[in-house]
């Protein structure tokens, strides 16, 4: 059933369950609640040496129909390496296996370039070869970047990633959007464990609006969504035009007796900053995330400033005052202001509904663990789960409506 329908038709079935609920007047468009939960992949995590061996074996097996002699020679070389490195340190064993894998990938690339245009008739086998080759390339790239975070964790599920949800885990994240009025799921997506849950808000909302032609008014998201670029994107009046309810971070608003960044005036073009003593500076740099400009005042100017005791507790030895001006300060200020309203308090009370829905998926529908391997297949698992969860809820809502319409006689 999963293979015959594929991901697109399962998505269509999920959308149809929402469409039927909309036809009954159950789903409203005033607000969406968004949250995600972790999904443990259906894999065993090998050591790096084992992972290299598994990726190599998978690549050679997929290349067998197209280059049997080269595959046989590579298998013999792998056997030789295994024998001669049996008694040496793991670091050297790993290096030799990586070097051998690079050699295999080199001729596999040549094979792909030579035979690729002619393999339309052998699509399933050729697709397996290309997928195995892509995994090998990614594994080698991971070895070249030891500090990289987006690393292959398994040869049998190369799309699974390591993420953190309390503790570290390997797998995926199920991200959902929910209508708080009906408590029905309106959109669903599966991300790698290290995926950007906050950035997935737009795809979820756009997928729902494209499927049903509706217009969502507001979004409630956890503090992971307190990001300037995201807030600007979602609230853009020419685009989604959402009111975003998000718990603000406390960073940057701590109480201090000294001048705050807001006390420094930025020029209209953002190239100069004026301090409370009417002194300007053009010296600036960008922060690590490229989301803010850091302006630097000369120490000589700060040392003679009559407002120094109101600006700094102690003048640094080699520089003056530094002031950070965030590119998205207006969005942060608007979110913090909204968080002080009664509307925000009411929305955040409703946010627990999406957490309960995730708990239902995990507890009663096996949502904590992936049944399949590969992101598309895991996504199908949760689309099927979402359909079941929605149908349960629709039946309950319509049953309650029928009971009110035709009450039992005494």
């Amino acid at each position: 059933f999963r293979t015959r329908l594929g991901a697109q038709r399962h998505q269509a079935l999920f959308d149809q369950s929402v469409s039927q609920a909309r036809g009954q007047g159950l789903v409203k468009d005033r607000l969406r609640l968004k949250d995600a939960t972790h999904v443990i992949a259906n894999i065993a995590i090998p050591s790096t040496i084992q992972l290299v061996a598994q990726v190599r074996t998978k690549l050679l097996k997929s290349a067998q129909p197209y280059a049997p002699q080269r595959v046989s020679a590579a298998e013999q070389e792998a056997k030789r390496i295994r024998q001669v490195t049996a008694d040496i340190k793991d670091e050297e064993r790993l290096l030799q296996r990586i070097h051998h894998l690079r050699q295999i990938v080199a001729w596999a690339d040549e094979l792909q370039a030579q035979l690729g245009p002619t393999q339309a008739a052998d699509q399933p086998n050729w697709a397996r070869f290309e997928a195995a080759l892509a995994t090998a390339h990614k594994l080698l790239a991971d070895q070249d970047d030891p500090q990289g975070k987006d690393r292959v964790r398994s040869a049998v599920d190369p799309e699974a990633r390591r993420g953190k949800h309390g503790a570290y885990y390997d797998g995926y994240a199920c991200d959902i959007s929910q209508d708080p009025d009906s408590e029905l799921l309106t959109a669903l997506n599966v991300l790698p464990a290290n995926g950007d849950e906050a950035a997935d808000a737009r795809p979820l909302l756009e997928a729902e609006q494209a499927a049903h032609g509706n217009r969502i008014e507001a979004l409630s998201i956890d503090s992971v969504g307190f990001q300037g670029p995201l807030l600007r994107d979602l609230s853009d009046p020419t685009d989604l035009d959402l009111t975003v309810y998000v718990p603000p971070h406390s960073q940057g608003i701590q109480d201090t007796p000294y001048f705050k960044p807001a006390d420094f005036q930025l020029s209209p073009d953002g190239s100069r900053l004026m301090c409370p003593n009417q002194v300007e500076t053009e010296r600036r740099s960008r922060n690590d995330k490229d989301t803010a400009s850091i302006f630097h005042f000369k120490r000589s100017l700060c040392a003679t400033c009559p407002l120094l005791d109101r600006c700094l507790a102690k003048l640094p030895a080699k520089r003056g005052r530094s002031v950070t001006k965030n590119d998205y300060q207006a969005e942060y200020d608007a979110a913090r202001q909204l968080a002080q309203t009664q509307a925000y308090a009411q929305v955040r009370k409703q946010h627990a509904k999406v957490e309960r829905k995730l708990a239902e998926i995990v507890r009663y529908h096996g949502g904590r663990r992936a049944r399949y391997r590969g992101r598309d297949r895991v996504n199908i698992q949760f689309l099927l789960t979402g359909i079941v969860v929605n149908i349960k809820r629709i039946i309950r809502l319509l049953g309650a409506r029928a009971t009110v319409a035709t009450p039992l006689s005494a």
Side-chain angles (χ1 to χ4, degrees):
F1 182 68
R2 170 175 53 80
T3 304
R4 288 201 308 272
L5 291 185
Q8 290 186 347
R9 288 177 178 156
H10 278 91
Q11 182 66 57
L13 286 174
F14 176 86
D15 291 336
Q16 184 59 230
S17 74
V18 179
S19 180
Q20 291 188 32
R22 294 185 68 87
Q24 295 292 330
L26 299 176
V27 179
K28 311 300 181 184
D29 294 328
R30 67 176 186 88
L31 177 66
R32 290 294 176 267
L33 312 177
K34 192 193 96 66
D35 205 348
T37 191
H38 62 291
V39 182
I40 300 172
N42 184 20
I43 55 177
I45 305 301
S47 67
T48 306
I49 291 178
Q50 291 173 326
L51 179 59
V52 172
Q54 291 171 4
V55 169
R56 180 196 66 218
T57 300
K58 189 173 182 179
L59 178 57
L60 291 177
K61 183 177 180 180
S62 66
Q64 176 68 37
Y66 311 106
Q69 293 181 345
R70 278 185 159 178
V71 169
S72 178
E75 290 175 341
Q76 291 299 319
E77 177 63 12
K79 183 178 180 180
R80 187 194 68 80
I81 292 174
R82 187 163 55 250
Q83 292 173 345
V84 301
T85 62
D87 298 325
I88 65 176
K89 293 182 178 180
D90 286 348
E91 292 82 356
E92 181 61 27
R93 293 172 62 208
L94 177 61
L95 287 175
Q96 293 204 28
R97 282 159 175 77
I98 291 174
H99 178 70
H100 184 217
L101 180 60
R102 290 189 192 280
Q103 294 176 331
I104 296 172
V105 167
W107 62 253
D109 284 339
E110 296 175 0
L111 186 66
Q112 184 183 43
Q114 293 171 1
L115 300 182
T118 67
Q119 293 303 313
D122 193 27
Q123 188 59 33
N125 289 332
W126 186 251
R128 279 191 286 271
F129 167 71
E130 291 191 314
L133 181 56
T135 301
H137 273 291
K138 180 66 176 70
L139 178 62
L140 292 175
D142 291 347
Q143 299 307 309
D144 292 336
D145 182 17
Q147 303 303 318
K149 297 181 179 180
D150 185 46
R151 304 177 70 83
V152 172
R153 303 292 295 165
S154 167
V156 296
D157 191 352
E159 293 180 291
R161 291 292 184 267
R162 169 150 286 195
K164 190 174 185 181
H165 193 95
Y168 285 101
Y169 74 101
D170 296 288
Y172 299 91
C174 175
D175 198 17
I176 65 172
S177 174
Q178 183 191 36
D179 169 37
D181 295 307
S182 63
E183 300 185 19
L184 289 168
L185 302 181
T186 56
L188 183 151
N189 193 18
V190 168
L191 305 172
N194 64 345
D196 192 341
E197 177 193 337
D200 195 47
R202 170 178 274 276
L204 285 175
L205 298 172
E206 287 182 331
E208 178 188 347
Q209 293 182 162
H212 306 290
N214 59 322
R215 189 73 178 179
I216 300 164
E217 300 174 9
L219 173 71
S220 175
I221 185 173
D222 279 345
S223 58
V224 69
F226 192 70
Q227 302 176 20
L230 179 70
L231 293 173
R232 178 176 295 180
D233 180 44
L234 296 180
S235 61
D236 184 351
T238 65
D239 195 0
L240 291 177
D241 193 19
L242 292 167
T243 301
V244 183
Y245 297 92
V246 54
H249 296 172
S250 60
Q251 183 180 3
I253 60 171
Q254 61 269 24
D255 191 24
T256 173
Y258 305 104
F259 291 131
K260 302 177 179 65
D263 298 321
F264 294 74
Q265 296 183 9
L266 192 64
S267 65
D269 63 358
S271 64
R272 303 182 309 281
L273 189 69
M274 180 183 292
C275 77
N277 193 39
Q278 307 300 306
V279 175
E280 287 190 343
T281 182
E282 294 183 348
R283 301 170 61 192
R284 67 185 189 275
S285 58
R286 297 293 289 176
N287 67 350
D288 294 340
K289 297 182 179 180
D290 197 27
T291 58
S293 293
I294 307 174
F295 288 85
H296 310 277
F297 289 87
K298 291 183 178 180
R299 188 182 189 281
S300 58
L301 296 175
C302 291
T304 59
C305 179
L307 302 178
L308 178 60
D309 59 340
R310 297 175 57 190
C311 192
L312 290 168
K314 182 180 179 181
L315 185 64
K318 297 183 179 180
R319 57 181 176 82
R321 173 75 186 261
S322 295
V323 178
T324 300
K325 282 291 188 178
N326 198 292
D327 299 346
Y328 304 96
Q329 193 61 49
E331 285 75 18
Y332 287 131
D333 290 343
R336 290 190 172 104
Q337 185 176 1
L338 182 61
Q340 304 302 315
T341 64
Q342 186 63 32
Y344 172 87
Q346 293 175 351
V347 167
R348 293 309 297 178
K349 284 183 180 178
Q350 297 180 71
H351 196 84
K353 292 181 179 180
V354 71
E355 296 169 353
R356 289 197 294 268
K357 186 62 66 173
L358 287 172
E360 176 185 347
I361 290 172
V362 169
R363 183 173 182 180
Y364 299 113
H365 298 278
R368 180 59 71 223
R369 294 184 176 274
R371 292 176 178 268
Y372 311 116
R373 293 166 177 165
R375 183 178 171 186
D376 282 347
R377 293 183 179 89
V378 176
N379 193 52
I380 289 174
Q381 172 187 340
F382 283 94
L383 285 171
L384 285 169
T385 302
I387 293 169
V388 172
V389 168
N390 274 354
I391 290 175
K392 286 165 53 182
R393 183 63 184 167
I394 291 170
I395 291 173
R396 177 168 294 188
L397 292 173
L398 294 182
R401 179 186 293 178
T403 301
V404 173
T406 57
L408 295 175
S409 61

